[in-house]
Amino acid sequence: MVIEMADVTIRISEIVGSGVCVTSEDGQRVYLALYDAFNAGKRVKLSFSGVTRMTTAFLNAAVGQLYGEFSEADIRSKMLPPLDAESWHLVRLKLVIDRAKQYFSNKEKYNKLLHAGMGLVEDDYS
């Protein structure tokens, strides 16, 4: 028996309320919609229709943190190709996904490097 997943389209600009997608708070709202859809067994088409500005900080919150909650294989099976995306949307999305995969593959190492770069010793953040 094969169980098919339902497809759902998540329109970024509708969740944010505009085409300006720059804050991590707005990204968090998109993340929650993605998270809920994934947990409901749905495959997601992320629509960039109407997105006129978008930062990597927004995308880190919206998409990047998925890699801390789901396996890469799970994300690949549930995230369908984006809709209405312009080349600059895709460049930023790829950058964020590549960084997220790198970070979550060895989170402890990257946190130590970050803290060392900030001049903190382990006692300062543990």
Side-chain angles (χ1 to χ4, degrees):
M1 176 190 227
V2 176
I3 299 173
E4 290 198 26
M5 287 192 243
D7 295 350
V8 63
T9 299
I10 294 177
R11 290 177 176 79
I12 295 171
S13 60
E14 284 183 9
I15 292 173
V16 172
S18 79
V20 179
C21 304
V22 296
T23 68
S24 56
E25 291 83 8
D26 284 340
Q28 186 67 23
R29 294 197 332 239
V30 173
Y31 165 78
L32 291 173
L34 289 167
Y35 184 88
D36 289 346
F38 282 15
N39 279 330
K42 298 180 191 249
R43 295 186 316 169
V44 176
K45 298 175 192 174
L46 196 57
S47 172
F48 288 83
S49 177
V51 174
T52 56
R53 285 197 286 170
M54 182 175 65
T55 63
T56 55
F58 169 84
L59 284 172
N60 281 328
V63 177
Q65 70 176 316
L66 289 171
Y67 288 85
E69 298 291 327
F70 299 94
S71 71
E72 183 177 350
D74 208 17
I75 293 169
R76 283 183 185 268
S77 72
K78 293 179 180 178
M79 187 74 86
L80 298 169
L83 299 174
D84 313 309
E86 297 178 29
S87 61
W88 68 272
H89 294 134
L90 297 175
V91 167
R92 290 186 185 157
L93 182 60
K94 182 177 179 353
L95 176 69
V96 163
I97 289 171
D98 289 347
R99 284 183 185 166
K101 288 193 284 191
Q102 221 175 14
Y103 174 74
F104 287 111
S105 72
N106 196 343
K107 191 174 173 180
E108 186 177 316
K109 171 188 165 189
Y110 284 98
N111 283 338
K112 283 183 179 180
L113 287 171
L114 175 65
H115 289 111
M118 294 171 32
L120 299 174
V121 293
E122 193 167 327
D123 290 343
D124 291 339
Y125 60 91
S126 53

